[in-house]
Amino acid sequence: MLPEVQSWFRRRTSCAADWPVGELAEAKGQTSVSVVLPARDERDTVGHIVGVILRELADVVDEVVVIDSCSTDDTAAVAARAGAEVHAQDAILPELRPLDGKGEALWKSLAVTSGDIVAFVDADIRGFRSSLVSGLLGPLLTDGTVAYAKGCYDRPLDGVSNGGGRVTELVARPLINLHWPELAGFVQPLAGEYAGRRTALERVPFLTRYGVEFGLLVDLLDLAGLDAFAQVDLGSREHAPQTTEALGGMAAQIMLAAHSRLLRQGKLGRCHGLSCRLDQFRRDGDGHRVVSSDVSIGERPPMFTTLRCGGQEAGP
Ligand SMILES: O=c1ccn([C@@H]2O[C@H](COP(=O)(O)OP(=O)(O)O[C@H]3O[C@H](CO)[C@@H](O)[C@H](O)[C@H]3O)[C@@H](O)[C@H]2O)c(=O)[nH]1
Ligand SMILES: O=C(O)[C@H](O)COP(=O)(O)O
């Protein structure tokens, strides 16, 4: 990990317990807070999540908004009954041609919310607790230099304590380490739980569908620099997992997101500057241990050139 990332990680990582709701309510002052849940077919979980936020975070959260992302079930009705303000994704900014997916839901939420701080939370979380939101608000409400706070957590999957995050581990983290080593300190770069200042969120593009989190990290880094990021350990999080086949589509969207940013930043086609270290994280007590490995690869020429040279290295 780059020394400046190590330093950022130590300084800017906190945990949800560091931010008691009472202290946040005092720190909040005139700052308003919106919580947004993008939801497609989440009738089983969305009502509970909305209810917990409204009941337990009334002193810090000013509005809870669900963006119904073209659900085919009664997600919208369940969310409204639980007390959320509900907007149909395609009904927001109707003069624009509708685009698909989660990133579109999040982008459009900025047009129907008013909070100075906007917190995004997935609507499929099982065993939801309000600290998943209050933790994210901590760094933003108490430190004016923080523009964006990203959650991290353990990801149990099918009884395996940290078996989740398949796209994160197999696609997003290696891409980030290769091309944006400044972002390698994010334990869960694709986490759907994060909060940002409106002043920053309204100044970056949002990729549609599942590329949105990847794009936000890269673009906010450009906009505000690493020190404007914070990371909050939210404990553990379980969601309704998708099939490996469906995750293939998500992985492809993350790759497209990375490709578009490499192109924009003029990094495509350049091997120079690629980082060949992969930083992964293991839970270690209350924190995380970085496990760093060398992922560099070499290249041998076609064998016939070697045999023709009698086993000598072929010339350039
Ligand atoms: O078209 C869509 C698809 C999903 N969602 C909602 O977005 C949230 C996350 O979607 P999900 O399919 O559960 O994503 P995950 O498999 O959990 O993917 C992880 O990785 C994604 C890619 O970075 C992130 O967007 C997710 O937040 C993160 O949890 C849920 O509330 C969904 O209902 C929408 O609003 N619209
Ligand atoms: O973030 C991810 O990698 C995807 O959401 C997949 O997560 P899962 O492997 O825990 O289902």
Side-chain angles (χ1 to χ4, degrees):
M1 200 180 270
L2 299 170
E4 62 267 35
V5 178
Q6 281 177 31
S7 155
W8 169 84
F9 185 86
R10 278 193 300 273
R11 280 181 298 108
R12 287 297 205 194
T13 305
S14 59
C15 72
D18 295 332
W19 310 110
V21 177
E23 286 178 24
L24 294 184
E26 264 176 46
K28 179 174 143 79
Q30 298 303 307
T31 310
S32 55
V33 174
S34 306
V35 176
V36 170
L37 287 88
R40 173 174 287 186
D41 295 340
E42 307 292 8
R43 71 170 322 280
D44 294 341
T45 40
V46 72
H48 174 71
I49 298 174
V50 168
V52 169
I53 297 171
L54 286 173
R55 271 195 311 280
E56 297 182 18
L57 299 182
D59 292 342
V60 279
V61 170
D62 299 278
E63 59 179 358
V64 178
V65 173
V66 169
I67 307 297
D68 179 33
S69 185
C70 312
S71 296
T72 55
D73 69 7
D74 60 347
T75 288
V78 172
R81 264 202 307 278
E85 180 183 317
V86 180
H87 294 269
Q89 176 171 320
D90 289 351
I92 302 170
L93 303 175
E95 65 279 18
L96 300 182
R97 178 174 62 88
L99 297 178
D100 185 42
K102 181 190 174 188
E104 175 80 345
L106 300 189
W107 182 71
K108 285 190 165 174
S109 77
L110 296 178
V112 293
T113 53
S114 59
D116 303 314
I117 292 171
V118 184
F120 299 111
V121 186
D122 283 357
D124 66 336
I125 300 174
R126 296 172 175 163
F128 181 83
R129 32 193 209 284
S130 58
S131 58
L132 289 170
V133 174
S134 54
L136 294 173
L137 298 177
L140 286 152
L141 287 173
T142 57
D143 183 343
T145 65
V146 173
Y148 189 75
K150 182 107 191 164
C152 69
Y153 29 63
D154 298 341
R155 303 187 64 160
L157 184 73
D158 295 337
V160 179
S161 63
N162 244 331
R166 291 164 283 173
V167 178
T168 302
E169 300 307 331
L170 300 177
V171 178
R173 192 184 311 288
L175 277 172
I176 285 173
N177 275 260
L178 259 185
H179 300 292
W180 293 279
E182 311 91 307
L183 295 171
F186 283 98
V187 179
Q188 293 296 339
L190 298 188
E193 292 66 41
Y194 46 93
R197 281 186 209 286
R198 178 174 293 276
T199 46
L201 294 172
E202 287 187 355
R203 274 168 184 74
V204 285
F206 276 51
L207 290 166
T208 62
R209 306 183 76 185
Y210 289 117
V212 62
E213 282 76 25
F214 199 98
L216 282 175
L217 279 184
V218 173
D219 293 341
L220 286 166
L221 179 68
D222 256 3
L223 180 84
L226 184 59
D227 214 49
F229 287 110
Q231 171 162 253
V232 187
D233 190 341
L234 302 172
S236 173
R237 171 194 180 274
E238 243 181 297
H239 68 153
Q242 302 194 39
T243 61
T244 304
E245 183 181 304
L247 290 181
M250 178 188 291
Q253 291 169 29
I254 302 295
M255 289 182 188
L256 279 172
H259 188 87
S260 74
R261 272 29 192 178
L262 288 173
L263 205 57
R264 187 172 291 182
Q265 297 182 345
K267 289 180 169 175
L268 261 190
R270 273 202 283 132
C271 277
H272 175 74
L274 283 186
S275 159
C276 292
R277 295 217 65 82
L278 176 66
D279 294 325
Q280 297 164 301
F281 295 90
R282 286 202 199 133
R283 175 61 81 182
D284 189 11
D286 288 342
H288 290 91
R289 184 158 56 87
V290 182
V291 181
S292 200
S293 53
D294 178 357
V295 292
S296 56
I297 55 170
E299 180 173 334
R300 293 290 195 193
M303 181 57 92
F304 88 92
T305 61
T306 302
L307 295 180
R308 202 181 51 198
C309 298
Q312 304 296 305
E313 296 272 346

